[in-house]
Amino acid sequence: MIEQIGAAPQDDKIDALVLGTGPAGLMAAETLAQAGRRVTLVDAKPSAGRKFLMAGKSGLNLTKDEPTARFIKAYGAASDWLGPMLEQLDPIEVMAFAEDLDQPIFTGSTGRVFPKAMKASPLLRAWLRRIEAELRLCWRWTGFEGEALSFDTPNGSRCLLPAVTVLALGGASWARLGSDGAWATWLAEKGVKLAPFQPSNMGFQVTWSDHMAPFFGSPVKNIGLSAGGKTYRGEIVISQPGLEGGGLYAVSAAMREGKSLRLDLMPDRDTAALAVMLAKRPRKQTLTKALTKLGLDSAKRSLLQEFGRPLPDDSKALAGLIKALPIRHDGPRPLDEAISTAGGVMREAVTPGLMLKEIPGVFVAGEMLDWEAPTGGYLITACFATGRWAGQHAARYSPDAASSGSGC
């Protein structure tokens, strides 16, 4: 069971130190403890797992129930790197993990897996009770002092030189929850190769016409989204800043790289059939009524007017616009608002066991690593998997001349 302690005596011995209490950090801590290491777990915030709890507000999508090989493909360019880690802790293992914590789960119609409680707090509480570690809160890492790690703590500055360390400090979004990316500067100073942070699974800014204001907050369901040669089905939300939602997040990486976005407002009808239906429109029938009869609700009609004006009179051209509506936007929303981030510690900067090549004895897990994946259970699963992987390799780490305890 985690024991929360305040100030540590100056001569305390630190065997295995884990920074961060998100899913990657907690998994690394538990794995180290199960291997017999004495674990100290620290977090800069006054309570554990703050971003994890925020993720749970939308239901805590733990993983996706699909074949492991298909699941791994969702990680794109990082699939071969993360593959062995995800094979070891795949969706089935994640489901078993939740159930072992007495958190019943269910699988939605799209394969997404959630705890029946539909929130993170019960799972987090049960997990913290199970992990054998000392927990130190309000310990903010401030960089390195030589080989030691320095901290601001409730009782002043401290430096620690653990036998082994796992960093699981998140990416660079949602800074108020602890993931501020400040660690990148300190690792770069040590020569660690980093990819620049970029927003991932983010909304996009749109400068709306005044007529769109009544639709802010409206979902646009059952649409197709195409960008960069890939097409997805999903939904988006019209918001005052622009567009957001799960469907958009699936294509956000391609959009971030400059690929154009097109919406299929009626993915279950083909263009030719729509053109025929529009051509049969009575002369006195308004276009709004004709579009409504086709099945376009008010939110979809508003998007068609916003991005298709002036709407063509030709039935074939209008049908083509409904099936492939080009979306103008002003770029991604700010990095700190993104659900996740791309960038971070590059693959070539770590060993196969996720130890930093430039800092022996220091391992990295979770969103600190340079990978990205869509929402839908992929993000948390990869954090679990890399946390376990780093914990396993850190548990076996034994430098020739390891020293532990207070560093400065």
Side-chain angles (χ1 to χ4, degrees):
M1 177 184 295
I2 279 188
E3 177 188 1
Q4 185 176 336
I5 61 176
Q10 290 296 315
D11 61 347
D12 67 335
K13 300 296 182 181
I14 304 296
D15 178 28
L17 180 66
V18 178
L19 277 63
T21 58
L26 292 178
M27 189 63 77
E30 182 167 48
T31 302
L32 281 159
Q34 289 173 343
R37 303 299 293 251
R38 291 178 291 105
V39 179
T40 301
L41 183 61
V42 305
D43 197 284
K45 295 297 182 180
S47 58
R50 290 201 166 189
K51 191 174 180 182
F52 190 47
L53 290 171
M54 176 63 76
K57 287 192 173 182
S58 59
L60 192 63
N61 185 185
L62 289 168
T63 192
K64 190 169 185 182
D65 189 1
E66 63 183 5
T68 301
R70 188 196 309 167
F71 187 87
I72 291 172
K73 287 182 179 179
Y75 297 86
S79 294
D80 63 331
W81 180 27
L82 300 183
M85 308 175 207
L86 292 163
E87 287 173 350
Q88 183 188 78
L89 208 166
D90 63 8
I92 298 298
E93 288 292 324
V94 172
M95 288 186 268
F97 158 78
E99 291 176 330
D100 285 346
L101 290 170
D102 295 323
Q103 300 301 308
I105 57 173
F106 73 94
T107 302
S109 59
T110 61
R112 297 185 179 199
V113 178
F114 302 86
K116 289 185 177 179
M118 287 299 287
K119 54 186 177 180
S121 51
L123 186 148
L124 179 61
R125 286 194 299 268
W127 198 6
L128 289 171
R129 287 195 297 268
R130 191 173 75 179
I131 298 172
E132 296 288 340
E134 294 179 346
L135 176 63
R136 300 177 183 176
L137 298 173
C138 297
W139 276 55
R140 179 175 295 278
W141 185 35
T142 57
F144 292 97
E145 292 285 345
E147 295 182 359
L149 288 82
S150 60
F151 295 87
D152 281 340
T153 82
N155 296 91
S157 298
R158 292 292 312 281
C159 286
L160 301 176
L161 189 59
V164 67
T165 300
V166 177
L167 304 177
L169 296 165
S173 62
W174 294 85
R176 65 186 178 86
L177 301 178
S179 299
D180 58 12
W183 52 264
T185 298
W186 307 319
L187 294 190
E189 290 171 348
K190 289 283 190 177
V192 176
K193 293 182 180 179
L194 304 171
F197 290 123
Q198 298 184 84
S200 182
N201 294 298
M202 65 292 190
F204 282 76
Q205 302 180 110
V206 176
T207 303
W208 297 113
S209 301
D210 291 343
H211 86 279
M212 291 296 297
F215 298 97
F216 293 163
S218 299
V220 185
K221 300 182 178 182
N222 190 27
I223 59 173
L225 302 97
S226 299
K230 295 184 178 180
T231 300
Y232 300 87
R233 288 281 285 267
E235 69 175 68
I236 58 176
V237 176
I238 302 169
S239 66
Q240 191 278 329
L243 292 171
E244 54 193 70
L248 189 68
Y249 302 153
V251 296
S252 62
M255 293 173 63
R256 185 188 65 215
E257 303 305 321
K259 305 300 183 184
S260 60
L261 170 67
R262 292 180 181 270
L263 300 184
D264 182 350
L265 300 178
M266 300 195 71
D268 296 319
R269 297 276 184 89
D270 62 41
T271 306
L274 286 175
V276 170
M277 295 174 71
L278 288 167
K280 293 179 178 179
R281 167 189 164 196
R283 288 185 178 181
K284 293 184 179 181
Q285 187 181 69
T286 66
L287 182 56
T288 297
K289 188 170 183 178
L291 294 173
T292 302
K293 290 192 71 173
L294 278 181
L296 292 177
D297 61 25
S298 58
K300 291 182 179 180
R301 295 197 306 271
S302 70
L303 290 175
L304 186 63
Q305 291 283 353
E306 179 73 5
F307 296 110
R309 289 181 298 179
L311 294 180
D313 294 326
D314 180 76
S315 298
K316 290 183 179 179
L318 181 55
L321 200 59
I322 293 170
K323 293 291 292 180
L325 180 65
I327 303 300
R328 301 181 302 275
H329 62 83
D330 303 318
R333 294 289 298 156
L335 178 66
D336 192 51
E337 296 179 12
I339 289 178
S340 59
T341 52
V345 177
M346 299 175 70
R347 178 177 185 172
E348 53 264 41
V350 295
T351 67
L354 298 183
M355 185 177 75
L356 292 170
K357 294 177 180 178
E358 298 294 333
I359 317 177
V362 177
F363 294 74
V364 186
E367 209 176 330
M368 290 181 70
L369 298 166
D370 181 22
W371 58 272
E372 65 178 314
T375 57
Y378 303 102
L379 296 171
I380 291 179
T381 295
C383 288
F384 287 147
T386 57
R388 176 179 287 182
W389 191 266
Q392 288 171 336
H393 288 82
R396 296 194 290 268
Y397 179 78
S398 180
D400 294 335
S403 61
S404 63
S406 297
C408 58

